[in-house]
Amino acid sequence: MSVSQHAEILLKEARICLSNISSLNHRLNALISVRSPESVLTRVSDVVASSEPKTGIAGKLFAFKDNFCTVDQPTTCASQMLQGYVSPFEATVITRLHNHAHAIDVGRANMDEFAMGTDNIFTVYGPTLNPLYSSPHSAGGSSGGSAVAVAAGMCHFALGSDTGGSVRLPAAYCGVVGFKPSYGLVSRHGVIAFAQSLDTVGIFAKDVPTVREVLSVISAHDPLDPTSISTTLRQQLKDATARRRESGNGKYRIGIPLEFIVDSCSPEITNAWSAVLKKLQAQGHELYSVSLPTIKSALPTYYIISPSEAASNLSRYDGVRYGYRAIVDREANGVLYGVTRSEGFGSEVRRRILLGNYNLSSGAFHNHYLQAQKVRRKMQLDFDRVFVVDHPLEEPIDRDDDRPNVDFLVTPCSTGTAPLLSDVLSQKSPLDAYINDVLTVPASLAGIPAISVPWHTDHGDVVGIQVMGQYGDDDRVLDFSEIIMGL
């Protein structure tokens, strides 16, 4: 393909994306700020004309969640608390996409406030709607805007953050690919924290090769992120992956975790899961039932640890240094801090701050928070015992010879398809929404790579199938995900 032909294709794709934004965004509410079409097309033309070496995503358009800091537009986390706030520095992943890959952002994506939510309804910008349905359905959360932007053809790929499933669940609802890399593989610098031991930058796209191309750009050691994997370990992981690929025959050992067979899963989900497993078996892959006993405690563990970290992280929003500041009557002994936080944070954020502060209180710290951390450690060991590959950051673990070891775990990503927005808004208890995370939080607590790939059923439904692998085995998780998408 000639340079001029490639340039014409990029410009044509960019015009299509911009046209979709113009015609669909007012209804779907996926992007909360949008670059002008003229500026986007000019930047595409500049990338095409540049003589610099180009990546596979050069000139491609992307959106990013509103918790990624940039220096040229406000970063609000979809909250009243940060309206108008412009960061003095930019998120590392945004810089790498702009400067190293020459990708072009089209705007910021809607989200649940401070990434707390599962349906993208807790936002000052209003709910994001799922583009797969004519009637209002949930887009999933908290990275719903990013998932919808990709699903509706507004961009080639998008970035989100995944704390307990906030990339994979929207991907499952919207019928796109959503990937959460191993914790520490992608820099979190410049991503406003929800729960720092869980937050992971994730990628949305319509296919796995695009996800792989984006990951190759944003996966790099960052000295500004203390949790970033070292360059030495990255090379060791790359070498180990190459050896496994060379020694393999293209057939994998697939684990079916018994604890993921939950009563709340709808027939559409269980039937799709069964269909995928049968087709994998027909291709020669081996299926094994495996058990991870601590998974049953994953949800309460997550909802102790994540609100506790959130309560600590969000204590900085006090109305003094930056962000929203309430107007108080000082003559009536008005207290700035309390009023500012009550007015600046939405209901779900306030709820999780209260829960987190309780878990960190002297009366509950030992019985709640410390116990949850112990369960989390046991869960990580459960995953290590199941996988054939050893954890690269841990000592080799003793495995039970009577139990099968597998390359990957294949499970559903959600307990049902995208619910009606009216049903979500009418939920009487927050617990109804929290249960949606039951299938995604285990991978987040263990820090392992996990991906949701779309599976189209015979009845026209789209279901997210989740693949999980050992820590650092991200490339092979993507390899296997391509196999599922090709079934």
Side-chain angles (χ1 to χ4, degrees):
M1 183 186 300
S2 67
V3 174
S4 60
Q5 288 175 323
H6 181 60
E8 186 57 37
I9 290 174
L10 284 177
L11 286 168
K12 182 179 179 180
E13 290 178 352
R15 292 189 186 99
I16 292 173
C17 289
L18 294 170
S19 175
N20 289 335
I21 293 173
S22 176
S23 61
L24 297 175
N25 194 52
H26 67 283
R27 179 175 69 86
L28 301 176
N29 198 27
L31 301 178
I32 58 174
S33 67
V34 181
R35 303 275 188 189
S36 70
E38 295 78 14
S39 66
V40 171
L41 293 175
T42 298
R43 292 168 71 185
V44 172
S45 299
D46 291 343
V47 168
V48 170
S50 172
S51 59
E52 294 184 31
K54 295 180 175 61
T55 65
I57 55 174
K60 297 294 181 73
L61 307 188
F62 74 97
F64 56 93
K65 194 174 179 177
D66 191 33
N67 59 346
F68 288 78
C69 291
T70 55
V71 296
D72 62 341
Q73 51 186 297
T75 303
T76 72
C77 286
S79 176
Q80 174 68 26
M81 184 61 78
L82 284 177
Q83 288 300 302
Y85 170 73
V86 178
S87 171
F89 58 88
E90 187 170 73
T92 296
V93 290
I94 302 296
T95 300
R96 290 193 64 83
L97 286 171
H98 283 159
N99 298 345
H100 294 261
H102 303 291
I104 298 156
D105 75 85
V106 294
R108 311 183 74 89
N110 203 349
M111 60 181 285
D112 280 302
E113 184 181 10
F114 283 98
M116 300 181 193
T118 58
D119 291 291
N120 218 129
I121 58 173
F122 300 113
T123 162
V124 294
Y125 303 110
T128 297
L129 303 183
N130 195 316
L132 301 185
Y133 303 87
S134 57
S135 57
H137 278 65
S138 168
S142 61
S143 307
S146 297
V148 170
V150 172
M154 299 179 186
C155 54
H156 295 93
F157 65 93
L159 298 183
S161 61
D162 191 309
T163 307
S166 291
V167 165
R168 289 161 286 155
L169 184 63
Y173 281 0
C174 295
V176 297
V177 177
F179 179 55
K180 182 196 84 71
S182 297
Y183 181 83
L185 198 65
V186 179
S187 174
R188 293 185 300 109
H189 175 70
V191 182
I192 295 178
F194 164 13
Q196 65 272 20
S197 75
L198 296 160
D199 292 343
T200 308
V201 174
I203 305 165
F204 293 95
K206 288 190 174 181
D207 55 69
V208 176
T210 301
V211 170
R212 193 189 300 274
E213 188 72 37
V214 175
L215 181 65
S216 70
V217 173
I218 64 176
S219 174
H221 174 65
D222 182 10
L224 298 175
D225 177 6
T227 64
S228 181
I229 298 174
S230 68
T231 302
T232 301
L233 179 56
R234 288 173 190 273
Q235 187 59 49
Q236 293 173 356
L237 294 175
K238 185 177 179 180
D239 294 342
T241 297
R243 288 194 298 271
R244 293 183 200 117
R245 283 172 171 167
E246 290 175 3
S247 62
N249 61 357
K251 305 301 179 185
Y252 297 102
R253 296 165 62 91
I254 311 304
I256 308 169
L258 299 176
E259 290 76 15
F260 279 71
I261 303 173
V262 295
D263 294 336
S264 56
C265 273
S266 68
E268 295 92 341
I269 299 297
T270 53
N271 290 340
W273 185 20
S274 177
V276 170
L277 293 173
K278 287 178 180 177
K279 291 200 173 188
L280 287 171
Q281 189 173 37
Q283 284 196 349
H285 303 287
E286 301 175 14
L287 305 184
Y288 298 92
S289 295
V290 298
S291 179
L292 299 92
T294 51
I295 293 297
K296 295 179 179 179
S297 302
L299 205 59
T301 299
Y302 173 80
Y303 278 102
I304 290 174
I305 294 175
S306 63
S308 299
E309 294 183 4
S312 175
N313 287 325
L314 270 61
S315 64
R316 70 193 68 174
Y317 303 107
D318 53 12
V320 176
R321 286 167 287 185
Y322 52 82
Y324 176 78
R325 176 181 295 186
I327 299 175
V328 298
D329 186 353
R330 300 191 183 280
E331 293 183 359
N333 295 321
V335 180
L336 176 67
Y337 184 79
V339 178
T340 293
R341 289 168 66 82
S342 295
E343 294 179 2
F345 290 133
S347 60
E348 181 62 22
V349 175
R350 295 198 302 269
R351 184 181 297 116
R352 298 202 193 192
I353 289 174
L354 289 171
L355 178 60
N357 281 329
Y358 173 74
N359 290 328
L360 295 175
S361 66
S362 59
F365 181 78
H366 289 87
N367 291 331
H368 288 203
Y369 185 75
L370 288 185
Q371 295 302 319
Q373 293 288 13
K374 291 177 181 178
V375 172
R376 182 182 189 179
R377 179 57 181 158
K378 288 183 177 180
M379 190 178 304
Q380 292 169 338
L381 294 175
D382 276 352
F383 276 108
D384 289 346
R385 291 189 184 96
V386 164
F387 290 124
V388 171
V389 179
D390 287 325
H391 195 300
L393 300 180
E394 306 280 357
E395 293 294 327
I397 194 169
D398 292 330
R399 294 181 172 87
D400 191 337
D401 293 336
D402 295 331
R403 294 183 179 181
N405 300 123
V406 298
D407 294 295
F408 310 109
L409 301 174
V410 176
T411 73
C413 194
S414 62
T415 57
T417 54
L420 282 165
L421 189 63
S422 58
D423 291 342
V424 172
L425 295 173
S426 63
Q427 288 175 341
K428 296 181 180 180
S429 169
L431 297 179
D432 296 333
Y434 295 171
I435 291 173
N436 289 338
D437 295 331
V438 66
L439 301 176
T440 55
V441 296
S444 295
L445 289 167
I448 60 177
I451 188 170
S452 174
V453 294
W455 178 262
H456 298 268
T457 70
D458 295 335
H459 301 289
D461 296 317
V462 180
V463 171
I465 299 298
Q466 181 174 221
V467 178
M468 293 174 277
Q470 177 59 288
Y471 183 90
D473 208 10
D474 299 61
D475 285 331
R476 291 206 315 148
V477 167
L478 294 177
D479 291 345
F480 185 64
S481 300
E482 285 195 77
I483 291 176
I484 293 181
M485 290 199 71
L487 292 175

